[in-house]
Amino acid sequence: MAQLRSLSAPRTTIKFVYYSRNVGSISSVSSNGYLASAAAFCNNGKRCHRRSLHTACASASVNVNANASSGSKNAALDMVSALHSHRYALRWQNQFLNGARCLHSAAREQQAQVAISAVTDDGGSAAKRGAADAKPYQSKPEGKPQRDPLDVSFNDPIAAFKSKTTWELVRAYMVYMICSSEKLVEHNMTLMKWSNKILGKRLFTALMKATFYGHFVAGEDQIKIIPTLERLRSFGVKPILDYSVEEDISQEEAEKREVESSVSSTGDNAQDAGALPQYHVDKSFADRRYKVSSARTYFYLNEATCERNMEIFIKCLEAVSGATFGTGITAIKLTALGRPQLLLQLSEVIMRTRKYMEALVGGEGNVLTHHKTIKDLEKYYASVGDNKDVQQFLRNVTSDKEGILHLFPWSGIVDEDSQLSDTFRVPDPITGQMRRLISQIAPKEEEMFRNMIRRLNTIVKTAAELDVRIMIDAEQTYFQPAISRITLEMMRKYNKEKAIVFNTYQCYLREAYREVVTDLEQAKRQNFYFGAKLVRGAYMDQERARAQALGYADPVNPSYEATTDMYHKTLAECLRRIKLLKDSDDDARKIGIMVASHNEDTVRFAIENMKSIGISPEDKVICFGQLLGMCDYITFPLGQAGYSAYKYIPYGPVEEVLPYLSRRAQENKGVLKKIKKEKRLLGSEIRRRLFRGQLFYKPKGNYVPI
């Protein structure tokens, strides 16, 4: 009982994790289970304190009498009664006990954050009630966590779908049947809109929950997604949370917004000498949704919209933290947080810096190993004069030990008071003085850039406090140099003890391998934890069409096979470096990789290479990720076998996620081979349950995610 007494601070604040379906009663577990929860709170008090900045509610408190040791059990029973009587008043992080109102995290006040997963009455009575009264919400499954052998052929329907009810299997089969029809998929958005008008909101919502929405989306808000998150966790799978609401705007409106937000107030300098055409807006491709089926698109409206997007991302962080106990991830897009023109300008100056430095050292690539070249540069600048800026520049880009010259000196662009026009400066070989590679930016646009960086810093700080990881999505190649650079500097700033910030690398790009190697080298030199999500990519058709239209080199690999080779080559290099860290008794978690792929050959490649070089799932350096509603036959066997497996979990109101649902239908149309296998496995499992009388099978897992 010492752990329970340790809760009796004068004003111990409590957060109630409320399971919305549990309206009948609060299930009980043994008194030891309750005391374990109390002990967990005490042991994690430091983390809870850090999280309190963004989840404030100072009024909610419960006093536990430390002196009443003999009556502690009765006190716990009283708490059960109190929770039961107030169950309708509880809400996820926006209400607290006795109806006190919690402020939103943006107010930066303190909310109470202690998760109470269950409260006890008597261990024996729980056993008597049996499975019918088993509690639906558990922080930790009882007993030894289950582990299953992994079938790397991914042909086991039982392992694939043991987390699904029979109705969910039938619904999935129905959805895949619809996705197999080209005409239905081609006109899916129009059909959904007409159905909404004809059926009305209530019937249309019911129809969507019985089909596409129910299959691809977890729920409407942070409360309604909790059952999905908990069931995933009980089968060894963790979430990547994404609030998938999108504006459904016309092509004309999208083009108008993009053109207006992608041109500086001083005008577009596309005709300037040395300007790179790919980093300037073109009306033909202003609708960034063109030929894109799998990626979400944000169109800039104003700074207030960007502030709202920041708040939405913070809500996602809070939701995933509260329901997953530090194992969750949130995905964000940088174009949601600022004006696109700023990213275009930054991307262009980064590429100009690269070209300038390549010409200066007479080589190619982001990382050059030329001892002689570096020494020559140092000798030359020493002869020019005693310029401290130049000397600092040389210290940043060179290494005495390895002789490495990195073409991107650390710029400090993630500092909230940085000036974009002062960010990238390089030494002039003629004068020996530092010179700017970006023209002067209007004060209003400088303020917009600082706002974007402030928003990103706020999100990452919140993630660090809540122990949630951030994955910054890749976007079009004309934004990507800026996105990657900002993300890498965020890693340097925040990934000091573990990987919190992850960058996304699209392996259909010709430069993918070189970019990853460059950033791995910087992480090693600057001693920060490197996080990468490897994907094939989402903008291939658009990128090829734009490159051809604007007259620059196609950035995409020539074939699907070349993209697969690039993916495997990049992944193998990451695994090789992890092995080197292990062999040198360094922390292997300095490199963290997510294999985000629906291709089972790629997943097998990763597993086989992990085994061959001695990397185990318990090393927590490699994880796997797929979308909710897609490739369950890959994700769940991985999670149940003890690998780190994730589902990308979208949520949001039915009518507002229709663009997302439309993309999922389009994406499934494009991967009919995968659909064919999943349909076969679904049919096999449905027949098995029919023959064995398991129509009313209820999923119940005892797996603990890595």
Side-chain angles (χ1 to χ4, degrees):
M1 302 306 289
Q3 294 96 329
L4 184 59
R5 288 196 298 272
S6 69
L7 284 174
S8 59
R11 297 280 293 173
T12 304
T13 54
I14 292 183
K15 180 187 82 175
F16 297 96
V17 177
Y18 176 60
Y19 185 78
S20 59
R21 292 171 56 190
N22 187 20
V23 296
S25 65
I26 295 176
S27 302
S28 60
V29 292
S30 68
S31 58
N32 290 334
Y34 175 67
L35 293 178
S37 295
F41 163 63
C42 297
N43 292 333
N44 291 288
K46 184 177 180 181
R47 182 167 66 87
C48 292
H49 177 69
R50 291 199 311 269
R51 291 167 52 178
S52 65
L53 176 62
H54 296 277
T55 50
C57 187
S59 303
S61 62
V62 175
N63 293 322
V64 180
N65 190 348
N67 297 323
S69 57
S70 62
S72 296
K73 187 173 178 181
N74 292 331
L77 288 171
D78 292 338
M79 191 179 291
V80 173
S81 177
L83 287 170
H84 182 72
S85 64
H86 289 286
R87 64 184 180 273
Y88 296 110
L90 297 173
R91 290 296 183 269
W92 179 260
Q93 295 191 0
N94 61 6
Q95 291 183 340
F96 62 88
L97 193 60
N98 298 326
R101 186 71 176 173
C102 288
L103 300 178
H104 188 270
S105 61
R108 311 292 195 268
E109 299 182 19
Q110 294 188 338
Q111 287 179 349
Q113 294 267 327
V114 179
I116 296 183
S117 59
V119 182
T120 182
D121 57 358
D122 180 71
S125 62
K128 291 177 184 178
R129 284 193 295 272
D133 285 332
K135 65 186 182 68
Y137 182 96
Q138 302 185 100
S139 62
K140 291 183 180 178
E142 295 178 3
K144 188 177 180 180
Q146 188 175 342
R147 288 285 182 264
D148 295 344
L150 178 65
D151 173 17
V152 292
S153 68
F154 299 107
N155 277 312
D156 184 354
I158 298 176
F161 305 119
K162 66 168 67 175
S163 65
K164 307 286 185 186
T165 65
T166 305
W167 155 244
E168 287 168 336
L169 298 184
V170 172
R171 181 181 65 194
Y173 195 88
M174 248 180 3
V175 166
Y176 286 132
M177 287 289 290
I178 295 170
C179 289
S180 301
S181 170
E182 269 196 46
K183 288 187 178 179
L184 286 176
V185 171
E186 186 178 348
H187 303 290
N188 73 86
M189 194 65 177
T190 303
L191 290 171
M192 285 191 288
K193 287 180 179 178
W194 275 105
S195 299
N196 194 7
K197 289 180 181 179
I198 294 169
L199 298 175
K201 183 176 179 180
R202 182 174 295 180
L203 285 177
F204 175 73
T205 298
L207 174 66
M208 295 308 295
K209 286 184 176 180
T211 53
F212 282 93
Y213 181 91
H215 184 67
F216 291 118
V217 183
E220 291 160 294
D221 54 41
Q222 293 104 310
I223 298 172
K224 292 180 180 178
I225 66 174
I226 292 175
T228 298
L229 299 185
E230 285 304 313
R231 199 201 305 182
L232 286 174
R233 182 177 175 81
S234 72
F235 285 91
V237 176
K238 298 169 282 188
I240 305 173
L241 212 59
D242 181 37
Y243 187 65
S244 296
V245 169
E246 298 179 35
E247 284 186 282
D248 184 19
I249 60 176
S250 67
Q251 180 181 339
E252 293 76 15
E253 177 64 19
E255 290 175 352
K256 179 184 175 185
R257 288 195 193 181
E258 188 70 2
V259 170
E260 289 177 352
S261 63
S262 297
V263 177
S264 171
S265 59
T266 59
D268 192 7
N269 61 346
Q271 305 304 318
D272 290 357
L276 304 175
Q278 62 263 47
Y279 301 107
H280 297 269
V281 66
D282 184 275
K283 190 176 180 184
S284 304
F285 299 92
D287 186 351
R288 287 186 275 119
R289 301 169 300 184
Y290 173 69
K291 291 191 175 183
V292 176
S293 62
S294 60
R296 185 142 58 103
T297 302
Y298 289 91
F299 290 99
Y300 181 85
L301 184 60
N302 52 43
E303 291 295 287
T305 303
C306 296
E307 289 291 324
R308 285 197 296 273
N309 289 337
M310 180 191 72
E311 293 298 329
I312 287 169
F313 290 144
I314 289 175
K315 283 183 179 180
C316 286
L317 291 170
E318 291 172 344
V320 78
S321 172
T324 61
F325 308 98
T327 60
I329 299 173
T330 294
I332 70 171
K333 279 186 178 287
L334 208 53
T335 49
L337 300 176
R339 187 179 172 91
Q341 166 240 333
L342 301 169
L343 294 174
L344 285 172
Q345 281 187 282
L346 185 55
S347 290
E348 182 169 20
V349 75
I350 287 171
M351 298 311 293
R352 283 188 180 186
T353 304
R354 174 182 292 180
K355 288 181 178 293
Y356 178 90
M357 293 300 296
E358 285 174 353
L360 188 65
V361 301
E364 294 181 353
N366 292 12
V367 178
L368 304 178
T369 309
H370 298 308
H371 291 269
K372 184 177 178 182
T373 303
I374 290 172
K375 288 178 181 177
D376 287 346
L377 276 174
E378 291 173 338
K379 184 178 179 181
Y380 171 77
Y381 285 116
S383 67
V384 171
D386 185 18
N387 188 310
K388 291 183 179 179
D389 288 340
V390 172
Q391 291 173 3
Q392 182 61 47
F393 175 87
L394 289 171
R395 282 195 294 271
N396 286 341
V397 300
T398 61
S399 168
D400 293 335
K401 186 179 289 187
E402 300 178 20
I404 291 171
L405 174 67
H406 194 283
L407 300 184
F408 294 144
W410 294 105
S411 60
I413 56 174
V414 296
D415 296 332
E416 295 181 25
D417 58 351
S418 64
Q419 295 287 322
L420 187 56
S421 56
D422 290 332
T423 295
F424 286 91
R425 298 191 302 155
V426 294
D428 191 311
I430 297 175
T431 66
Q433 302 300 310
M434 301 298 289
R435 55 171 277 199
R436 288 176 177 168
L437 283 180
I438 188 170
S439 58
Q440 189 68 38
I441 296 176
K444 184 177 180 181
E445 290 167 10
E446 285 279 15
E447 183 181 359
M448 288 179 178
F449 180 74
R450 289 196 298 273
N451 284 337
M452 180 174 68
I453 295 302
R454 172 184 55 78
R455 293 175 193 123
L456 183 59
N457 270 299
T458 300
I459 291 168
V460 179
K461 285 176 186 174
T462 306
E465 290 162 5
L466 297 177
D467 198 18
V468 176
R469 283 171 285 177
I470 287 283
M471 287 188 171
I472 298 179
D473 284 342
E475 304 193 46
Q476 286 89 345
T477 52
Y478 45 90
F479 291 136
Q480 198 54 43
I483 293 171
S484 290
R485 186 61 195 173
I486 290 171
T487 304
L488 199 67
E489 294 212 22
M490 283 288 177
M491 284 189 205
R492 185 175 182 242
K493 185 174 181 178
Y494 292 100
N495 290 10
K496 294 179 179 178
E497 297 179 358
K498 61 181 176 179
I500 295 170
V501 180
F502 280 63
N503 195 16
T504 302
Y505 298 88
Q506 300 188 100
C507 291
Y508 67 40
L509 296 176
R510 298 172 190 263
E511 294 293 308
Y513 175 78
R514 193 173 75 163
E515 295 292 338
V516 171
V517 170
T518 297
D519 295 347
L520 280 166
E521 196 63 49
Q522 276 300 310
K524 177 182 176 183
R525 290 181 56 204
Q526 300 292 332
N527 195 30
F528 62 82
Y529 285 68
F530 176 78
K533 178 173 72 170
L534 301 182
V535 301
R536 274 180 165 74
Y539 307 97
M540 182 176 67
D541 293 336
Q542 182 191 107
E543 294 283 9
R544 281 182 170 156
R546 193 175 189 272
Q548 185 176 8
L550 300 185
Y552 59 89
D554 184 357
V556 178
N557 285 318
S559 65
Y560 182 83
E561 290 73 23
T563 293
T564 298
D565 290 343
M566 178 68 75
Y567 198 120
H568 290 180
K569 179 182 177 182
T570 304
L571 177 57
E573 175 63 16
C574 295
L575 291 169
R576 184 187 72 82
R577 289 179 179 248
I578 293 170
K579 179 71 162 71
L580 290 175
L581 289 172
K582 286 191 69 175
D583 290 346
S584 62
D585 291 327
D586 204 346
D587 186 357
R589 281 181 265 188
K590 283 188 174 179
I591 299 175
I593 306 296
M594 170 170 277
V595 181
S597 175
H598 295 113
N599 186 300
E600 60 182 86
D601 291 332
T602 294
V603 173
R604 265 192 297 272
F605 175 86
I607 293 169
E608 289 166 3
N609 277 269
M610 287 172 67
K611 289 179 180 177
S612 67
I613 63 179
I615 296 174
S616 68
E618 289 75 18
D619 289 327
K620 298 181 181 180
V621 293
I622 301 293
C623 58
F624 300 86
Q626 290 82 35
L627 291 163
L628 183 70
M630 292 179 67
C631 292
D632 287 348
Y633 68 94
I634 294 176
T635 315
F636 284 94
L638 284 171
Q640 290 153 192
Y643 287 85
S644 182
Y646 284 86
K647 276 294 191 188
Y648 188 96
I649 308 290
Y651 71 98
V654 174
E655 292 182 347
E656 297 181 48
V657 298
L658 293 186
Y660 175 85
L661 295 174
S662 177
R663 287 202 313 276
R664 291 285 75 81
Q666 292 283 352
E667 185 167 353
N668 277 290
K669 171 191 167 188
V671 288
L672 291 177
K673 186 178 179 182
K674 292 187 183 70
I675 287 181
K676 187 176 180 181
K677 178 170 184 176
E678 193 137 14
K679 278 170 61 182
R680 174 175 61 80
L681 293 171
L682 281 165
S684 174
E685 179 62 6
I686 291 169
R687 288 192 298 272
R688 189 189 70 82
R689 291 190 188 181
L690 283 173
F691 293 147
R692 297 204 174 187
Q694 294 181 334
L695 277 176
F696 302 102
Y697 166 80
K698 292 183 179 180
K700 186 178 179 182
N702 188 33
Y703 302 88
V704 176
I706 286 292

